[in-house]
Amino acid sequence: MSENHEHQAAEKADHYERDERGERFGRQDARGEQVAPAQARRLWHLLEPLHAVVYYAPEVFEEAGALGYSTEERWGSYFPFRAAPLGPVSAEAVTSAFYSFQPGMVARYVEDAWKVATPEAALAARRRGVDRLYRKLFGDLVDGPELAEAAALARRAAAATVTAGRPLASANAALEWPSEPHLQLWQAATVLREHRGDGHLAALLIAGLDPVEALVSFAATGAASVERFRSRGWTREEWAAAGERLAARGLLEPDGTATEAGRDLRSRVEDDTDRLALGPWQALGPHRTERLAALLGDYWVAVLGSGLLPSESTLGIGRV
């Protein structure tokens, strides 16, 4: 990437800080030009695939395998690579931060993770994998001015995140920023998705949904198949017990589908998640947020077109 392209990207990002009167958008004048909560969800839909593809990519598996992590299934690299920003934390800490995974499953992959490689080594391998993956997926677009502009805008949004009470967002936001625009884009996408994810956990707690109930209640709305949700390690007995608890609250029908009350509760969870995720986009401002959404299209299409991501997601992408 040339210095001229970087300068142009910065100038374009600055352009969207000003309205037609030359006044600056941002935290101080966000009252005049609000970003709708729906935009927070839209940007999540666009950015989540750019982040999550790293957990399915052969290039990333190769980097994980070189460190000594198992690559027979994706979880062998998923847990250490996603948890690495937190440092050499315990399986219990990862279970808390990741929320919806069965504790025994987390322990299986995390208890010895930092004996295989340090968090610093895992982070370096993660970045190498992202570099290789994005260069393969985006080709010549990696060095284009549009990607540099998208990275600059996404980084501005990520820098505006308030990370108090959000451990995964805070840990990723504290990492050193890479110099290459495509790696900046991935890091910004990661900070923003973890910021949203941490807020989502708060919304689940407010709704009174424990980790397995969060999955059972979401599966009951048709967000994804029960089999997809069970990949997070819960036994049939644990799943059934959660269903009984939800049914006792009037949230599940006898056949396991959501009642009207259950759907309403999940809708409130998603609305609360949007509201809690809005801060970075409000700080970025509506013009720049819309510009970023427009710029992300080509990269979103490239990721989805790669066939690396599964056809359905436990996050409900495209379903909520």
Side-chain angles (χ1 to χ4, degrees):
M1 177 90 191
S2 70
E3 291 184 5
N4 185 49
H5 276 164
E6 291 181 2
H7 179 68
Q8 289 175 349
E11 281 188 337
K12 287 182 179 179
D14 285 338
H15 170 76
Y16 290 97
E17 287 195 53
R18 300 182 181 274
D19 65 10
E20 60 274 11
R21 298 181 304 277
E23 296 174 352
R24 296 181 70 81
F25 287 112
R27 292 182 186 277
Q28 292 183 348
D29 61 359
R31 299 171 192 165
E33 292 271 0
Q34 295 290 328
V35 176
Q39 273 290 66
R41 195 177 302 190
R42 180 189 179 198
L43 266 296
W44 169 54
H45 283 185
L46 288 168
L47 286 168
E48 177 65 26
L50 271 65
H51 160 83
V53 69
V54 71
Y55 301 123
Y56 299 90
E59 294 81 3
V60 180
F61 293 154
E62 289 174 7
E63 296 291 346
L67 290 181
Y69 290 120
S70 171
T71 57
E72 294 180 1
E73 53 182 354
R74 75 183 185 95
W75 304 117
S77 56
Y78 171 87
F79 282 101
F81 279 9
R82 187 178 173 209
L86 296 169
V89 294
S90 67
E92 290 79 9
V94 175
T95 300
S96 175
F98 287 17
Y99 197 74
S100 61
F101 287 91
Q102 205 272 349
M105 179 182 182
V106 179
R108 186 159 66 251
Y109 292 103
V110 175
E111 278 187 344
D112 296 326
W114 315 129
K115 297 176 184 176
V116 175
T118 65
E120 292 78 12
L123 286 171
R126 184 176 82 167
R127 182 172 291 184
R128 289 194 300 270
V130 172
D131 181 39
R132 293 171 58 195
L133 172 63
Y134 270 23
R135 290 184 183 279
K136 176 181 177 181
L137 291 181
F138 302 154
D140 293 341
L141 295 177
V142 164
D143 295 317
E146 290 82 7
L147 190 146
E149 185 184 354
L153 289 169
R155 181 172 177 176
R156 284 179 183 273
T161 56
V162 177
T163 57
R166 302 183 193 241
L168 284 167
S170 177
N172 280 281
L175 298 176
E176 181 180 355
W177 283 90
S179 58
E180 300 92 333
H182 64 290
L183 296 180
Q184 290 182 12
L185 179 61
W186 187 83
Q187 184 158 320
T190 300
V191 171
L192 290 163
R193 73 89 62 185
E194 297 292 16
H195 175 269
R196 182 184 176 89
D198 288 337
H200 183 63
L201 303 191
L204 291 171
L205 290 170
I206 291 170
L209 297 171
D210 69 25
V212 63
E213 291 169 357
L215 299 182
V216 174
S217 64
F218 206 24
T221 69
S225 66
V226 170
E227 291 72 22
R228 174 65 61 181
F229 281 105
R230 280 187 180 149
S231 69
R232 297 204 167 195
W234 301 98
T235 66
R236 292 186 179 275
E237 293 75 17
E238 290 168 327
W239 189 272
E244 291 174 2
R245 295 194 298 273
L246 293 171
R249 293 173 58 185
L251 302 175
L252 255 62
E253 301 282 7
D255 65 359
T257 59
T259 63
E260 183 177 353
R263 290 185 178 278
D264 287 345
L265 182 65
R266 288 302 318 199
S267 180
R268 290 198 300 273
V269 166
E270 298 306 323
D271 289 344
D272 285 344
T273 301
D274 289 341
R275 178 174 55 81
L276 291 169
L278 194 55
W281 309 115
Q282 204 66 276
L284 192 63
H287 291 191
R288 285 178 291 161
T289 298
E290 184 61 31
R291 174 59 177 169
L292 176 59
L295 287 166
L296 290 173
D298 286 343
Y299 315 111
W300 181 82
V301 168
V303 169
L304 294 187
S306 71
L308 292 172
L309 293 174
S311 59
E312 60 177 3
S313 165
T314 56
L315 299 176
I317 293 288
R319 303 287 183 91
V320 298

